[in-house]
Amino acid sequence: MRLAALAALAAWGLFGATGCAQLALAWASVDVTGKPAAEPAALGPFAGDGPIKTADDWRERRAPALREAFQQHIYGFLPDASETRVLTRRPVEAPEFVDLGYLEEFQIQVSATFDGEAADSQIFGIDLLLPASARGPVPVVIMQTFCPLTDRSAKPAVTGGGPGVSCNGGVLSRLTKLLFRRSIATPPLVDLLDRGFGVVTIYPKDVVPDRPRAGLDALDALGPRRAESDTRWGAIAAWGWLYSRMIDVVGDDPRIDPNRMIAFGHSRFGKAALFAAAFDDRIDGVISNQSGAGGAALSKGKKGETVRAITNDFPHWFATAFDDYAGREQDLPVDQHQLIALVAPRPVFLGNARRDVWADPNGTYRAALGANPVYELFGRAGLDQGGMTDFNPQGDIAYWFRPGMHGIDRRDWPAFIAFLEAHFGNAPRGREGEN
Ligand code: GTR
């Protein structure tokens, strides 16, 4: 009893109220696989834009209206225009890949224009890892990571600790890992190279730090005079925008197949990756792992993290307009199934873990079902599996559900790779059905 009280106190001290709520939910035996409640209707009436009966109706009328609404009420507005310049590019020695791959490092400069006014530019690094054996343009996985690229000396840039896990180890990081079993497992770079995939990576916190004050200052510098606006962009939108800037850099590279560029992100970067795919159709597919609130999980009727919790804990992630929906999620004019639908007909992978109730696997499943009618407009099946545990990597929406807690573990990568191979392997299916 005394031990339990001590453990509770330690957890409180380490993770605060929100962390404790996550832990409690994870350890309670909540059955998240129960029959999902009815899914929301993606094609129902919206903002008076008339009936949506064809893919063209969707593309020309509904999708632009939804993108506007997502920016206005949740994520904040993207810039009107953006510029990306490659400043330097150099090969980097990467003995860990032997003959399998080669690594290049780019310095790039990005800037945004809001309301006709150009903002401060930012300079940051991109790593590009390509398979040495490629005979033609290769598919690439475009990642945002939790550890600085400079950690490469210790490990490749795309490896590292999980959220809340210091990349350099330390007592706090070990304790967090122990309690949450939370780790961004080292991406199996050799496996990816072996299968002909390249990897492009950045450390997005170099551009928008993941701390409220510093994050808001960086967002303000990237988008002048927006700081006070209710709809100034938040870090999720800005990190999403960075996926697009990464594509500016590699999309024209003749070694890379412009029809096989897949955004990958876990948790907060899973939200950013999904947002990016919904707004930039140069992204051919997305792996959004455990993205939860503000990601792939429905906000309405959500279990675990609420709008109040996420906007309190991370005031820099969203537009302040989103704060107003705390406790009144039902009033949101959009929900996350429509964000998934904005990716249609491109493939989407949604990763989930049974004990990650905070992220709400069930709400994510319902969101996937809710996106289906839009995939059907494009002549596709969308989510095509019997239930939450019936993973189908071939599905346009592949819903993955494993036991355990939040994080990426060894079970996840084989599932990611199965999805990557099914849709973007050596027999690419192209981008039929898109503009
Ligand atoms: C949590 C947050 C989630 C999720 C996660 C992460 O604390 O509540 O929305 O994004 O962080 O990024 O690991």
Side-chain angles (χ1 to χ4, degrees), residues 18 22 146 163 182 266-268 271 290-291 293 305 310 314 317 358 406:
T18 305
Q22 284 183 59
F146 285 91
R182 211 180 217 197
H266 168 66
S267 208
R268 62 203 67 190
K271 304 181 208 297
Q290 299 169 13
S291 58
E305 189 169 32
I310 202 166
F314 307 103
W317 279 7
W358 192 245
H406 190 70

Side-chain angles (χ1 to χ4, degrees), residues 27 172-182 405:
W27 281 338
L172 190 64
S173 122
R174 277 194 212 126
L175 258 176
T176 316
K177 275 182 180 164
L178 191 79
L179 277 172
F180 281 103
R181 297 199 171 288
R182 211 180 217 197
M405 312 261 280

Side-chain angles (χ1 to χ4, degrees), residues 341-380:
L342 285 170
V343 185
R346 294 162 288 159
V348 179
F349 178 108
L350 302 174
N352 298 271
R354 178 181 291 270
R355 292 193 178 277
D356 188 13
V357 184
W358 192 245
D360 194 4
N362 197 290
T364 302
Y365 193 76
R366 282 188 289 131
L369 284 172
N372 266 2
V374 180
Y375 278 83
E376 284 157 17
L377 281 184
F378 286 93
R380 312 203 92 101

Side-chain angles (χ1 to χ4, degrees), residues 269-413:
F269 301 130
K271 304 181 208 297
L274 187 61
F275 174 88
F279 279 76
D280 186 343
D281 72 4
R282 293 175 302 168
I283 295 174
D284 302 294
V286 57
I287 297 178
S288 176
N289 197 54
Q290 299 169 13
S291 58
L298 294 172
S299 299
K300 299 182 187 183
K302 188 174 180 308
K303 300 271 183 313
E305 189 169 32
T306 57
V307 171
R308 190 182 308 284
I310 202 166
T311 54
N312 274 339
D313 290 346
F314 307 103
H316 55 303
W317 279 7
F318 301 97
T320 50
F322 195 37
D323 302 2
D324 295 341
Y325 294 98
R328 41 179 287 264
E329 283 86 347
Q330 286 310 325
D331 296 338
L332 270 165
V334 283
D335 208 347
Q336 303 306 109
H337 63 298
Q338 291 158 315
L339 191 71
I340 300 172
L342 285 170
V343 185
R346 294 162 288 159
V348 179
F349 178 108
L350 302 174
N352 298 271
R354 178 181 291 270
R355 292 193 178 277
D356 188 13
V357 184
W358 192 245
D360 194 4
N362 197 290
T364 302
Y365 193 76
R366 282 188 289 131
L369 284 172
N372 266 2
V374 180
Y375 278 83
E376 284 157 17
L377 281 184
F378 286 93
R380 312 203 92 101
L383 182 77
D384 188 15
Q385 53 189 69
M388 290 169 72
T389 53
D390 183 24
F391 177 51
N392 172 15
Q394 253 105 41
D396 303 305
I397 304 176
Y399 179 96
W400 162 244
F401 185 74
R402 64 150 167 83
M405 312 261 280
H406 190 70
I408 300 179
D409 71 17
R410 276 190 299 276
R411 289 166 291 197
D412 293 315
W413 267 103

